[in-house]
Amino acid sequence: MKDCNCIFCKIANGEIPSATLYENDEFRVILDLNPASKGHSLVLPKDHYANLFEIPEDVLGRAAAVAKRVSTKLADGLHASGLNLVQNNGERAGQTVFHFHMHMIPRYESDNMKMSWIPGKLTDEDKDEILSLFS
Ligand code: AMP
Ligand code: ZN
């Protein structure tokens, strides 16, 4: 399941060189080319899935396990004081490469990064609508 026009398919499968931190038969972990912080890295599956909605649950589970292992090593080795695990789906959510990936972004006391939103208020109407989806 490769998409021959997809840059992350090419990187994940070694057709385009990358700064690789970890690789197994299913995933490649690379340094982001435009890092938000020192150590910003990406977990890429070698098979092509556009986003969270396409990736099978078992593959996602193994991707999360890889992210945990690499995040731990990055955070320890770079003496980070925190780490954001970020995963964007769809243009509106900030996705720019439409091949599933997880961002690992180490955080430092002195970083200028912002990952914020304005907290809203949960309305009864929204709560009922959303809860009804799961009942
Ligand atoms: P997203 O906005 O969630 O789709 O994230 C895409 C990420 O891929 C961005 O952080 C880019 O900096 C990164 N990126 C794009 N092209 C490359 C590349 N050739 N090698 C490494 N990282 C890349
Ligand atoms: Zn792809």
Side-chain angles (χ1 to χ4, degrees):
M1 269 189 296
K2 320 280 183 245
D3 175 342
C4 52
N5 289 317
C6 171
I7 187 165
F8 277 5
C9 278
K10 290 181 179 150
I11 291 173
N13 291 282
E15 288 162 40
I16 294 178
S18 61
T20 295
L21 306 182
Y22 173 81
E23 185 187 4
N24 65 16
D25 58 347
E26 212 176 9
F27 304 101
R28 183 185 294 270
V29 180
I30 65 166
L31 287 178
D32 195 294
L33 213 52
N34 303 111
S37 72
K38 184 178 177 183
H40 181 174
S41 306
L42 305 170
V43 180
L44 311 179
K46 292 187 175 182
D47 282 339
H48 182 87
Y49 312 104
N51 52 39
L52 179 70
F53 308 111
E54 283 193 4
I55 192 168
E57 284 188 7
D58 58 333
V59 182
L60 177 63
R62 291 191 290 276
V66 168
K68 176 182 164 68
R69 257 181 276 134
V70 176
S71 291
T72 303
K73 202 160 173 174
L74 280 170
D76 287 350
L78 296 175
H79 311 292
S81 44
L83 183 139
N84 290 110
L85 193 57
V86 177
Q87 201 277 309
N88 300 324
N89 299 284
E91 223 171 299
R92 180 68 180 142
Q95 187 176 12
T96 58
V97 181
F98 296 90
H99 174 122
F100 177 93
H101 52 281
M102 295 167 91
H103 295 258
M104 295 170 289
I105 308 176
R107 300 299 303 271
Y108 306 94
E109 297 303 334
S110 58
D111 70 39
N112 288 318
M113 224 191 103
K114 287 196 175 52
M115 279 229 340
S116 62
W117 57 85
I118 299 165
K121 183 96 185 106
L122 179 63
T123 63
D124 287 339
E125 194 186 359
D126 282 356
K127 185 167 71 177
D128 291 347
E129 180 189 349
I130 297 159
L131 288 177
S132 74
L133 299 175
F134 294 88
S135 57

